[in-house]
């Protein structure tokens, strides 16, 4: 895409100039281009599905994933164009490294859980990036369920060994890509989308920044917890999220080809994206008031009565703390909150665990990942959370 094809906006132009003074120009150019580009490959599939009978497209997708056949009988060519390169991964795809990256990413569950929450909150912070969430009301009216569904997807996508074609993580990530395409189609048809101000709906830069946040925020927390990772370990984790980004439809030029490049793209984007607005406040308030459903731990007869009492304080405690902790990583001038009480406590726990790990007391990395993943999955199960990632057929919820 040429610069001339990008709509001019004075405020955005000023932010682009500021970004050029902070990060390499190439990263800035890729970020700006990506804001006016979408995942056209899957957009074509969704359009073709809309012309089939009700439910036919989703049945064909299920058959294609189940049998690892990119074009089952009756499927449109667009489905083949989407799935063929993913079921025949590129030369840089290394399943052993990606499995290793998933094991290492889950070395300490609090780093992953806080980083995951921070990734969700980052999307709300910017006045253009938050528009798909604001206009598709799930994030406001079903804030807790959206977090639960995202958590289920993260658990599926980062289960060691399950991100290869035919694996449950592979399938779940393809389906989330369809979720984005369904919402994007809805927003375009709504007539309310302002491309000049916000870029394309669910644009490729936003997708890349989200994937990079899942990579970078937990790594920043590992550093904050004094849990250093070797260069080889960092490379395995990078390969994990580079492949997930590829499956999600992030174009090659915006993938995490190195940790430094992912950081440059993220820094450029956080300067170029629009500042917080009223939708930022609305979406954040929804998280703070009802971003968790702790009453679901209780017996069924007590849930309705206790929900208004338990949800606001517990949601505020968890999401407010997460927000304060991760602000430093979405702010180019932020300072790591080393003395935050939560960080201090988790750092002490992390140091003890690191000592035990190095002495072989915690078992192999695969075993550690299994136990740490159970921290999140057990909490979700205890709250009777959404049992699976969002079904793309139910992705669109009109704004009230």
């Amino acid at each position: 895409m040429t610069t001339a094809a990008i709509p001019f906006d004075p405020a955005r132009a000023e932010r682009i100039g500021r970004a050029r003074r902070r990060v390499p120009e190439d990263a800035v150019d890729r970020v700006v281009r990506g804001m006016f580009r979408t995942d056209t490959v899957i957009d074509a599939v969704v359009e073709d599905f809309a012309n089939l009978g009700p439910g036919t497209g989703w049945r064909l997708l299920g058959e294609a994933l189940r049998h690892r056949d990119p074009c089952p009988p009756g499927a449109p060519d667009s489905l083949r164009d989407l799935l063929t390169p993913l079921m025949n991964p590129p030369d840089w795809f290394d399943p052993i490294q990606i499995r290793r990256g998933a094991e290492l990413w889950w070395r300490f569950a609090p780093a992953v859980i806080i980083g995951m929450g921070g990734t969700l909150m980052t999307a709300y912070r910017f006045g253009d990036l938050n528009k798909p969430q604001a206009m598709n009301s799930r994030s406001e009216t079903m804030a807790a369920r959206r977090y639960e569904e995202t958590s289920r997807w993260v658990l599926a996508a980062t289960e060691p060994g399950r991100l290869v074609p035919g694996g449950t993580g592979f399938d779940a990530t393809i389906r989330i890509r369809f979720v984005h395409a369904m919402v994007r189609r809805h927003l375009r048809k709504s007539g309310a989308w302002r491309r000049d101000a916000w870029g394309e709906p669910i644009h490729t830069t936003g997708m890349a920044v989200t994937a990079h946040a899942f990579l970078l925020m937990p790594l920043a927390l590992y550093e904050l917890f004094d849990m250093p990772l070797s260069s080889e370990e960092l490379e395995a984790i990078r390969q994990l999220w580079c492949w997930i980004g590829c499956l999600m439809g992030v174009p090659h030029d915006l993938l995490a080809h190195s940790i430094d490049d992912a950081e440059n793209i993220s820094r450029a984007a956080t300067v170029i994206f629009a500042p917080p607005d009223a939708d930022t406040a609305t979406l954040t308030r929804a998280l703070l008031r009802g971003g968790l459903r702790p009453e679901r731990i209780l017996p069924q007869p007590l849930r309705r009565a206790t929900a208004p009492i338990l949800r606001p304080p517990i949601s505020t405690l968890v999401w407010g703390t997460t927000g304060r902790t991760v602000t430093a990583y979405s702010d180019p001038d932020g300072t790591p909150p080393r003395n935050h009480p939560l960080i201090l406590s988790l750092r002490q726990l992390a140091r003890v665990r690191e000592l035990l790990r190095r002495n072989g007391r915690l078992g192999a990395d695969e075993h550690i990942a299994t136990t740490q993943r159970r921290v999140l999955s057990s909490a979700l199960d205890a709250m009777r959370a959404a049992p699976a990632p969002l079904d793309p057929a139910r992705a669109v919820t009109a704004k009230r």
Side-chain angles (χ1 to χ4, degrees):
M1 175 180 288
T2 63
T3 304
I6 296 173
F8 177 76
D9 176 85
R12 184 169 57 242
E14 189 278 328
R15 296 194 299 271
I16 291 171
R18 200 183 332 144
R20 294 191 190 283
R21 296 190 291 273
R22 292 173 180 254
V23 296
E25 281 206 33
D26 176 62
V28 175
D29 291 339
R30 284 181 284 154
V31 165
V32 175
R33 286 196 304 268
M35 292 175 65
F36 294 90
R37 215 172 24 164
T38 63
D39 184 359
T40 55
V41 177
I42 201 166
D43 289 345
V45 185
V46 166
E47 286 300 324
D48 286 341
F49 278 12
N51 295 323
L52 301 175
T56 301
W58 306 123
R59 177 182 60 77
L60 291 169
L61 174 63
E63 290 180 9
L65 294 176
R66 187 163 51 252
H67 300 295
R68 282 189 261 183
D69 177 2
C71 196
D77 290 344
S78 57
L79 184 62
R80 178 199 60 212
D81 295 340
L82 169 71
L83 294 180
T84 297
L86 301 178
M87 291 182 175
N88 300 276
D91 291 341
W92 55 261
F93 173 78
D94 185 338
I96 296 175
Q97 275 284 77
I98 289 168
R99 180 189 183 106
R100 172 83 171 136
E103 293 172 355
L104 296 167
W105 195 70
W106 278 103
R107 178 164 284 177
F108 188 47
V112 171
I113 294 170
I114 295 172
M116 183 175 65
T119 298
L120 292 178
M121 295 189 80
T122 296
Y124 296 170
R125 182 184 177 199
F126 301 101
D128 45 8
L129 193 63
N130 65 22
K131 288 300 170 284
Q133 288 86 4
M135 297 173 71
N136 185 47
S137 67
R138 287 181 56 85
S139 298
E140 180 183 350
T141 61
M142 294 182 260
R145 186 173 181 87
R146 181 171 184 266
Y147 168 71
E148 294 164 5
E149 290 166 340
T150 300
S151 298
R152 296 294 190 188
W153 167 70
V154 169
L155 283 165
T158 59
E159 183 177 358
R162 299 292 185 174
L163 207 55
V164 296
T168 51
F170 180 97
D171 293 357
T173 303
I174 297 299
R175 290 183 182 277
I176 291 299
R177 186 170 173 179
F178 271 93
V179 167
H180 294 163
M182 291 292 290
V183 174
R184 181 162 50 243
R185 182 175 185 271
H186 167 72
L187 293 173
R188 282 174 169 159
K189 289 183 173 294
S190 71
W193 188 260
R194 296 170 52 200
R195 181 177 181 271
D196 289 4
W198 305 328
E200 293 288 351
I202 313 184
H203 49 63
T204 56
T205 293
M207 292 158 51
V209 168
T210 300
H212 297 347
F214 279 117
L215 164 65
L216 297 172
M217 283 195 177
L219 294 186
L221 287 157
Y222 279 128
E223 183 177 343
L224 207 54
F225 295 152
D226 293 339
M227 299 179 70
L229 294 160
S230 70
S231 58
E232 292 80 9
E233 290 172 333
L234 289 171
E235 172 59 15
I237 296 173
R238 181 203 67 80
Q239 288 197 36
L240 166 72
W241 283 100
C242 186
W243 176 235
I244 291 176
C246 181
L247 292 177
M248 293 288 283
V250 176
H252 185 78
D253 66 316
L254 286 171
L255 289 173
H257 297 294
S258 70
I259 298 289
D260 286 344
D261 192 45
E263 288 177 340
N264 285 334
I265 289 170
S266 297
R267 288 194 189 105
T270 56
V271 176
I272 294 168
F273 290 154
D277 63 359
D279 286 329
T280 301
T282 298
L283 293 166
T284 303
R285 185 167 57 248
L287 277 179
L288 295 177
R289 290 182 178 178
L292 293 172
R293 300 192 283 187
E295 78 283 354
R296 293 167 70 87
I297 296 175
L298 302 174
Q300 177 72 38
L302 299 177
R303 293 178 198 166
R304 179 171 293 186
T306 57
I309 301 169
L310 294 178
R311 284 192 191 186
I314 293 179
S315 296
T316 297
L317 174 65
V318 173
W319 284 105
T321 301
T322 298
R324 289 191 295 273
T325 303
V326 303
T327 293
Y329 303 109
S330 57
D331 182 348
D333 300 315
T335 301
R338 288 193 63 84
N339 296 320
H340 188 287
L342 174 65
I343 298 301
L344 288 171
S345 299
L346 290 174
R347 187 182 300 129
Q348 293 304 314
L349 175 59
R351 285 172 175 168
V352 172
R353 285 187 57 83
E354 275 297 275
L355 181 62
L356 294 172
R357 184 186 68 81
R358 288 175 181 148
N359 290 333
R361 302 289 295 276
L362 298 183
D365 287 327
E366 181 180 7
H367 176 72
I368 293 172
T370 299
T371 61
Q372 293 303 287
R373 286 167 51 80
R374 201 174 295 138
V375 173
L376 178 57
S377 62
S378 296
L380 293 171
D381 292 344
M383 288 190 296
R384 297 172 174 81
L390 177 59
D391 184 338
R394 296 179 174 81
V396 173
T397 305
K399 176 74 173 176
R400 291 182 179 179

